[in-house]
Amino acid sequence: MRGMRSVATGLLSALLLAGAARAQDKPIHIGVIASMTGPAAALGIPQRNSIALLPRELAGHKIDWIILDDATDATRAVADARKLIDEDNIDALVGSSATPASLAMIDVAAEKHLPMIYMAASAALISPMDAQKRWVFKTPQNDSLMADAIAAHMAASGVKTMAYIGFNDAYGDGWLAQMQRAATAAGIRLVDAERYARADTSVTGQILKIIAASPDAVLVGASGTPAALPQKTLKERGYGGRIYQTHGVAVKDFIRVGGKDVEGTVLPAGPVLVAAQLSDANPIKKVATDYVTRYEAMYGPGSVAAFGAHAYDAALLLTAAIPVALEHAQPGTPEFRAALRDALESLHAIVLTHGIATMSPDDHNGFDKRARVMVTIQDGAWKLIEE
Amino acid sequence: MSPAIAAILIQDGVVNGAIYGLLALCLVLVFAVTRIVLIPQGEFVAFGALAYASFAEGQVPALLAVLAVLSLAAFFLGLCTEPAGNERALAMSTLAVPAVSIIACLVLTPLRLGPAMDAVLAVAAVAPMAPLLYRIAFQPLADASALVLLIAAVGVHLALTGIGLLAFGAEGMRGPAFMSGGVRLGGLDVSFQQLWVVATALVVMAALAVFFATTLAGRALRATAINRIGARLVGIETAAAGRVAFTMAGLIGAASGVLLSPLTTVYYDSGFLIGLKGFVAAIFGGMAVYPLAVAAAFGVGLVESFAAFWASPFKEAIVFATIIPVLIWLSLSAGDAVEEEG
């Protein structure tokens, strides 16, 4: 009888202990919304792939990554966000891949008091700062940072006039506005601005008009492989000036599709694109090469895309902020979400694959000039331009 | 605008117009015979282009697995729905052709036999999907209203877009030219690829005209298009007519894709917009008149090319706005394209 009682007591205390342990190890749920299908699939797929490289455990808590696809559709992104909040009770949200869907999700994040980190680029997502946007952060560089870099490179190479051809969407609009500002500041005149659609089979009309304006340089404001078409047409029509691209083309497929016509292109990009060529003194090199090595170990040599690193950077920010937030509250509670937001906002000099982020109440991107390098294409590979 | 620029724009418009013309022909053909607005037509173009580019790189696209699945699905669906005793014919039409295509692609791709063989393989890999899709998705609905068929076509289009993403990935591909270089025609540089596109389009159009005018199968298709019930009364099997129409649409669509591949980068979802422009041309022809549709296709190509020069932000809007006067005219002169079987 005595033996029985001691066994029962032992079992009970074991159960209690286990219960206590479970309470302490309450899992952290993080939602990820990526555009794995639709027009932004080229961004969303490497981002989804990067999630697989992320830690499953942090500070004694299991981390549960829940990934949904928004099909590059703003309505679907909002529905996904609500589902993750209501059904999975997430503590933070990473997403989405493209600007329109991300813009639509701000309302949800602010309404539910949920910290959210974008993988989309537009500066309009986080500025001007207001009561809603204080809940959202962003890992890709602002277009303005990249546009300034292009304008500086143009001015240094003696470019006086430039033309622009870009996507007929938010990406093209944003870049045109930023480039106009940066070019004017650098004393460069924009002589022609043309548009085309991602699915267009020909841009001959636009290119003829650009060539007729005879600019010293042309900037293509497009992303992924569709950015190769204007450049190929420019070469076909015998354009001899320098051609600039945006960091939207920082994928291997762009070089594959563009072939020898994209040799010598100049573009600004995140340091991760040329991780191995960075100087050893650069703290970004270690983080970036680590990401590239792990990604390629999992998905094959040459498979890494700079876009995927935005997801990885978002996770690095969370990894840095979660331990701080855990000191204030338990995961799954509104207090934890608020603490996580505060912790993200006070992050200082966090080294990411794309740059070094120092957040502030006004700047939820936190990057400075170290977050961009100028790159050219040489012999079918990215080559860092030393400054 | 200088005459030189106008000449280049016209050249560009004619090349694109030739592709739209081929698509418009398929759309008119399939609609006339089956009352289906073949929205997935653009996917055959995109798949043809992507398959050609894959073969040219020595890769066998995952699309072959899709073809195999469709083939088996069509066979088993046929076993369940068609009368007994037909198994041999069913197996021949659903299993034999795709099997030959798949084996040919697997055996011949690693040999790298050059662009001509790649083009043949691309058409062989993509075109057989069309009649299989007809058997699976449309034949069971053959007597439904045009609206139901349209919705089914939208469904097939969405499914194929997703399959395209899985089979070819999100990034685009561009195939090698059949022949590099070009000639100078009256002060205008014309690449051989552009000549190929226009020449092939004209040959296909002429061949179709001869097919419909002189062969028994062509006349049977025309009879089905004019009156389904009447055609059935004189012994034309309308389901078979539908399969023939789809096969032709698949062949022409895939071939257009192969022609387009060296000229531009094609994506898994590029087909829809290309198909839509073919559709605009088909509407000009009232979905019934082939020569009018072809002429309109060249018109669409030219409007697109000049709109790109003058007002590139509104290019698509201008192209699609041209359809409005035609629709008004068609609805005022109602009776041409009105459905009789509802």
Side-chain angles (χ1 to χ4, degrees):
Chain A
M1 199 62 204
R2 246 183 104 88
M4 279 291 278
R5 181 179 287 174
S6 65
V7 168
T9 322
L11 268 175
L12 194 66
S13 50
L15 273 175
L16 280 173
L17 271 175
R22 212 175 302 136
Q24 201 185 2
D25 290 338
K26 223 172 151 194
I28 299 168
H29 300 285
I30 299 176
V32 180
I33 299 178
S35 305
M36 292 178 261
T37 55
L43 312 181
I45 292 171
Q47 288 168 351
R48 190 244 350 243
N49 290 346
S50 299
I51 301 294
L53 309 175
L54 301 175
R56 307 275 144 199
E57 207 184 298
L58 185 69
H61 289 260
K62 191 171 159 288
I63 300 190
D64 191 9
W65 301 92
I66 308 158
I67 311 175
L68 292 182
D69 173 29
D70 68 10
T72 325
D73 174 15
T75 317
R76 201 100 167 249
V78 171
D80 280 352
R82 291 201 182 277
K83 179 179 179 298
L84 286 169
I85 294 167
D86 295 337
E87 293 177 17
D88 299 304
N89 192 29
I90 51 171
D91 297 297
L93 182 59
V94 177
S96 176
S97 312
T99 300
S102 305
L103 212 47
M105 281 156 58
I106 296 182
D107 290 343
V108 188
E111 177 195 324
K112 302 284 184 178
H113 289 198
L114 179 79
M116 178 161 96
I117 305 178
Y118 303 120
M119 304 180 282
S122 173
L125 291 167
I126 49 161
S127 66
M129 187 52 65
D130 59 24
Q132 284 198 317
K133 287 178 188 150
R134 64 188 286 272
W135 288 96
V136 296
F137 300 82
K138 178 168 87 84
T139 50
Q141 299 85 344
N142 286 331
D143 291 345
S144 53
L145 183 74
M146 298 306 207
D148 287 338
I150 294 181
H153 190 275
M154 282 180 176
S157 330
V159 171
K160 296 271 178 289
T161 54
M162 66 166 289
Y164 174 85
I165 175 163
F167 275 169
N168 210 348
D169 65 7
Y171 190 86
D173 285 339
W175 261 97
L176 178 57
Q178 286 302 336
M179 203 57 222
Q180 242 161 350
R181 179 194 54 74
T184 314
I188 297 163
R189 202 158 54 86
L190 183 72
V191 291
D192 188 25
E194 297 292 328
R195 296 306 181 76
Y196 74 111
R198 186 182 165 273
D200 275 358
T201 51
S202 162
V203 290
T204 308
Q206 293 95 317
I207 294 303
L208 288 174
K209 205 167 166 192
I210 287 181
I211 291 178
S214 64
D216 296 336
V218 177
L219 169 66
V220 182
S223 61
T225 41
L229 178 64
Q231 189 157 358
K232 281 185 107 72
T233 313
L234 277 167
K235 294 278 180 189
E236 262 165 39
R237 296 290 158 201
Y239 179 72
R242 196 193 287 280
I243 300 171
Y244 289 84
Q245 291 274 359
T246 68
H247 56 305
V249 302
V251 282
K252 198 84 190 148
D253 291 293
F254 173 73
I255 301 180
R256 173 175 61 76
V257 168
K260 63 182 187 320
D261 288 335
V262 300
E263 283 286 308
T265 311
V266 175
L267 61 137
V272 66
L273 186 67
V274 286
Q277 300 169 37
L278 295 173
S279 96
D280 289 332
N282 191 335
I284 299 167
K285 180 170 185 170
K286 188 177 166 301
V287 180
T289 41
D290 181 46
Y291 168 72
V292 173
T293 319
R294 290 179 57 203
Y295 192 98
E296 295 194 338
M298 192 173 274
Y299 301 103
S303 58
V304 76
F307 305 127
H310 294 312
Y312 189 76
D313 283 351
L316 289 180
L317 289 178
L318 286 171
T319 321
I322 284 172
V324 181
L326 282 171
E327 290 169 13
H328 296 92
Q330 279 296 310
T333 61
E335 293 76 28
F336 179 75
R337 298 201 290 270
L340 186 57
R341 191 213 77 85
D342 294 342
L344 282 168
E345 194 169 74
S346 51
L347 288 178
H348 183 77
I350 302 293
V351 182
L352 306 177
T353 62
H354 271 280
I356 299 174
T358 299
M359 301 288 178
S360 74
D362 292 325
D363 183 3
H364 278 192
N365 175 234
F367 280 152
D368 54 21
K369 280 187 176 172
R370 288 172 293 182
R372 55 125 188 94
V373 290
M374 291 307 283
V375 172
T376 184
I377 298 170
Q378 202 175 66
D379 303 325
W382 308 109
K383 178 94 177 51
L384 177 69
I385 302 175
E386 303 288 346
E387 287 180 51
Chain B
M1 175 190 289
S2 70
I5 288 181
I8 297 173
L9 290 178
I10 290 171
Q11 178 196 357
D12 198 51
V14 167
V15 172
N16 278 325
I19 301 271
Y20 300 151
L22 288 174
L23 298 190
L25 284 181
C26 298
L27 286 165
V28 172
L29 168 68
V30 169
F31 183 76
V33 175
T34 64
R35 296 173 305 128
I36 297 166
V37 177
L38 192 58
I39 298 172
Q41 179 66 33
E43 266 67 57
F44 298 139
V45 179
F47 288 6
L50 290 165
Y52 171 69
S54 304
F55 287 129
E57 287 178 12
Q59 292 167 353
V60 179
L63 195 69
L64 291 182
V66 178
L67 181 59
V69 170
L70 283 178
S71 153
L72 291 173
F75 177 67
F76 287 112
L77 193 72
L79 281 186
C80 300
T81 53
E82 288 191 11
N86 260 353
E87 286 84 0
R88 249 186 104 113
L90 182 69
M92 276 306 288
S93 61
T94 58
L95 296 179
V97 176
V100 170
S101 292
I102 293 172
I103 292 168
C105 291
L106 290 175
V107 173
L108 297 175
T109 312
L111 303 179
R112 310 293 287 267
L113 296 173
M117 181 50 83
D118 293 334
V120 171
L121 289 180
V123 174
V126 175
M129 294 175 72
L132 295 173
L133 285 170
Y134 177 73
R135 275 180 183 274
I136 295 167
F138 297 107
Q139 199 172 315
L141 299 171
D143 295 318
S145 73
L147 184 63
V148 172
L149 292 172
L150 175 68
I151 293 168
V154 171
V156 170
H157 155 69
L158 292 175
L160 285 182
T161 313
I163 287 171
L165 178 61
L166 276 178
F168 297 106
E171 287 295 0
M173 287 194 243
R174 192 169 175 146
F178 305 155
M179 279 191 243
S180 56
V183 286
R184 254 186 110 71
L185 290 178
L188 201 60
D189 285 318
V190 184
S191 74
F192 285 128
Q193 188 64 30
Q194 291 174 324
L195 289 178
W196 264 104
V197 172
V198 176
T200 313
L202 293 178
V203 167
V204 169
M205 287 167 192
L208 277 180
V210 173
F211 172 74
F212 283 124
T214 58
T215 65
L216 188 62
R219 288 185 187 151
L221 280 184
R222 267 169 67 202
T224 318
I226 293 163
N227 189 326
R228 285 164 61 81
I229 296 172
R232 217 177 288 171
L233 285 176
V234 296
I236 297 169
E237 201 198 326
T238 48
R243 287 199 294 273
V244 172
F246 264 69
T247 307
M248 291 170 68
L251 282 171
I252 297 175
S256 317
V258 171
L259 289 171
L260 188 64
S261 183
L263 293 174
T264 187
T265 316
V266 176
Y267 302 84
Y268 74 96
D269 60 350
S270 294
F272 182 63
L273 208 58
I274 301 172
L276 214 53
K277 285 172 188 153
F279 182 65
V280 169
I283 293 281
F284 272 86
M287 293 300 271
V289 189
Y290 295 96
L292 205 55
V294 171
F298 284 106
V300 168
L302 290 172
V303 167
E304 192 185 13
S305 165
F306 279 85
F309 182 80
W310 277 315
S312 60
F314 304 107
K315 191 193 77 177
E316 309 293 1
I318 292 169
V319 170
F320 292 120
T322 56
I323 205 174
I324 293 172
V326 182
L327 288 177
I328 293 174
W329 182 75
L330 281 178
S331 61
L332 288 179
S333 63
D336 283 345
V338 173
E339 178 180 340
E340 70 266 26
E341 294 169 56

